[in-house]
Amino acid sequence: MEGAAERGVLAVLVVLAGLAACGSGSEIIEGPKNVTALKGSEARFNCTISQGWKLIMWALRGTVVLSMTPNGSIITNDRFTSASYQEGANFISEMIIHDVQLSDAGQVKCSLQNSDRDGAAFLSVQVMGRLLIPGGSLVVIEDNPCNITCRALNWTPLPDLSWEIGVPVSHSSYYSILEPEDLQSVESVLALTPQGNGTVTCVAEMKGLDVRESVTVRLTVVQPPLDSIDKPGTSLPTWAIVLLAVSLSLLLILVIVLIMILCCCVSRTEKEESSYQSEIRKSATMKTSKDTLGTKLESGNENYGYHSEPASLHDKSSEASVPEQRSSRQPHQESNHHQLGPANHPPVSFNMGSPKKVRNVTLV
């Protein structure tokens, strides 16, 4: 293989040397155009040349890979072949690149020997990777939101992902996410609420090429369990659950604060009642003491000979009766004096200023 390549290069050099001696008066009328090709496919480039050419050279990324003479092609690599066409008085040379690889991406140039003008174009290579839906066929619950993920792996450049929905749904939407650890992969997430059986297809389209890849999965919809809490109408959205949790927390804090305030009020009331009861007991004690003292003061000897008579009519009789009463009460008073103690006091009579009453009081 290496020997054939060396012979091919040597032949090209010989031909170029001969053409250089002879000269050429042809020129490139139209050079090649940019091409975008998939990895593993073919890429074709055309170059239109006027009559009189002697040698056409094709270079890829600065290296001559194919040469053509009026007698035929000089092939140095089996992946690069040529074809030719006649268009009026002009000649069209075509270079075909087989099994295009990522390393082939770059500039493609068509040139003539002994000509200052050349034609250049650019080869872009795209890679179609794998497209898959993890899990294969899916079983979901009717009227229950679910997500389906589609992944495009090892694509260059990244494709555009879309969805074809073949099931009845009440809602559907999708979005794409780049893989942070793999710049050649992307995934798309389809969110839908199914209402019946059917298929779901993920479609990947290449940018710049009319090429698409797709993968389809079967979607089986089942009825929700009778005891499921996720039945339509019973489940709550996330924001409602969060709001309910916050409300319950605030309510619990409020209840705790109210209990603390109530305990403080009850304690203060008990203190006030205790103070009030103490004052009542104190007042009752003082009143009892006064009553006892009053009883002791009233326990003195009372003159039972007191009579309420008019002073104008019985002045003399009253004066006469006082000694008698004294004499009559003398034994009793003496006995009382002996009982109370050795300190005896003579009876004292008070003549009241009132003309109607005369009261005798004996102080002990």
Side-chain angles (χ1 to χ4, degrees):
M1 187 72 177
E2 293 180 357
E6 291 178 356
R7 289 193 297 270
V9 172
L10 182 59
V12 170
L13 293 176
V14 172
V15 172
L16 291 177
L19 291 176
C22 298
S24 175
S26 63
E27 61 179 359
I28 297 175
I29 299 175
E30 184 179 1
K33 297 181 179 180
N34 295 336
V35 173
T36 300
L38 285 176
K39 179 183 177 182
S41 64
E42 293 183 350
R44 295 174 177 265
F45 296 89
N46 294 331
C47 186
T48 303
I49 304 170
S50 63
Q51 293 291 337
W53 62 274
K54 300 298 181 181
L55 179 64
I56 302 174
M57 293 175 292
W58 288 95
L60 178 61
R61 302 181 62 177
T63 301
V64 177
V65 295
L66 179 65
S67 299
M68 295 182 64
T69 66
N71 297 325
S73 300
I74 302 174
I75 299 174
T76 59
N77 191 323
D78 293 339
R79 287 202 310 118
F80 302 94
T81 61
S82 66
S84 58
Y85 311 94
Q86 193 70 37
E87 187 181 60
N90 298 325
F91 178 81
I92 299 176
S93 174
E94 182 179 44
M95 180 182 69
I96 305 170
I97 303 176
H98 303 274
D99 191 18
V100 174
Q101 301 298 314
L102 279 174
S103 58
D104 295 334
Q107 188 184 58
V108 175
K109 183 182 291 186
C110 170
S111 62
L112 299 174
Q113 183 64 29
N114 295 333
S115 175
D116 295 334
R117 184 180 177 186
D118 57 22
F122 193 85
L123 172 62
S124 299
V125 180
Q126 296 186 357
V127 179
M128 179 181 291
R130 293 187 302 153
L131 188 67
L132 57 92
I133 297 178
S137 298
L138 303 175
V139 178
V140 297
I141 299 176
E142 183 180 1
D143 287 329
N144 190 43
C146 63
N147 293 335
I148 303 175
T149 303
C150 176
R151 301 188 65 190
L153 305 177
N154 301 323
W155 290 67
T156 304
L158 294 177
D160 293 329
L161 297 179
S162 60
W163 292 86
E164 295 177 355
I165 302 174
V167 295
V169 297
S170 60
H171 169 76
S172 66
S173 62
Y174 67 91
Y175 58 92
S176 297
I177 304 175
L178 296 177
E179 295 285 350
E181 299 179 355
D182 187 359
L183 300 179
Q184 295 181 335
S185 300
V186 65
E187 71 176 28
S188 180
V189 179
L190 171 66
L192 76 164
T193 305
Q195 295 181 328
N197 299 330
T199 59
V200 176
T201 303
C202 178
V203 179
E205 295 181 346
M206 299 294 296
K207 298 176 181 179
L209 291 175
D210 188 16
V211 177
R212 53 179 283 167
E213 181 73 8
S214 64
V215 59
T216 301
V217 295
R218 178 76 182 177
L219 206 64
T220 302
V221 178
V222 298
Q223 296 293 326
L226 296 178
D227 57 346
S228 174
I229 61 173
D230 294 330
K231 295 187 295 182
T234 60
S235 60
L236 293 176
T238 304
W239 64 267
I241 296 175
V242 173
L243 181 61
L244 182 60
V246 173
S247 301
L248 291 178
S249 301
L250 294 177
L251 181 60
L252 180 60
I253 294 174
L254 181 60
V255 170
I256 294 174
V257 172
L258 291 177
I259 291 175
M260 294 177 63
I261 294 175
L262 182 61
C263 292
C264 293
C265 293
V266 170
S267 176
R268 183 177 298 176
T269 303
E270 290 178 352
K271 290 181 179 179
E272 292 178 355
E273 290 180 354
S274 177
S275 176
Y276 177 71
Q277 292 175 357
S278 300
E279 292 294 332
I280 291 178
R281 286 195 295 269
K282 185 177 180 180
S283 300
T285 303
M286 293 178 65
K287 183 177 181 181
T288 304
S289 300
K290 291 180 179 180
D291 293 342
T292 304
L293 181 60
T295 303
K296 289 182 178 180
L297 292 175
E298 291 177 357
S299 61
N301 293 328
E302 184 178 358
N303 188 357
Y304 294 96
Y306 168 76
H307 294 280
S308 177
E309 293 181 358
S312 61
L313 299 178
H314 302 283
D315 289 339
K316 293 182 180 182
S317 61
S318 296
E319 293 177 356
S321 62
V322 169
E324 294 178 359
Q325 291 176 356
R326 290 179 180 176
S327 60
S328 61
R329 297 293 298 174
Q330 189 67 28
H332 179 71
Q333 290 174 356
E334 290 178 356
S335 62
N336 289 337
H337 292 327
H338 287 292
Q339 291 177 359
L340 292 175
N344 295 326
H345 299 279
V348 179
S349 297
F350 293 91
N351 188 6
M352 306 300 293
S354 174
K356 294 182 179 182
K357 294 182 179 180
V358 175
R359 183 182 179 94
N360 295 328
V361 178
T362 302
L363 297 179
V364 179

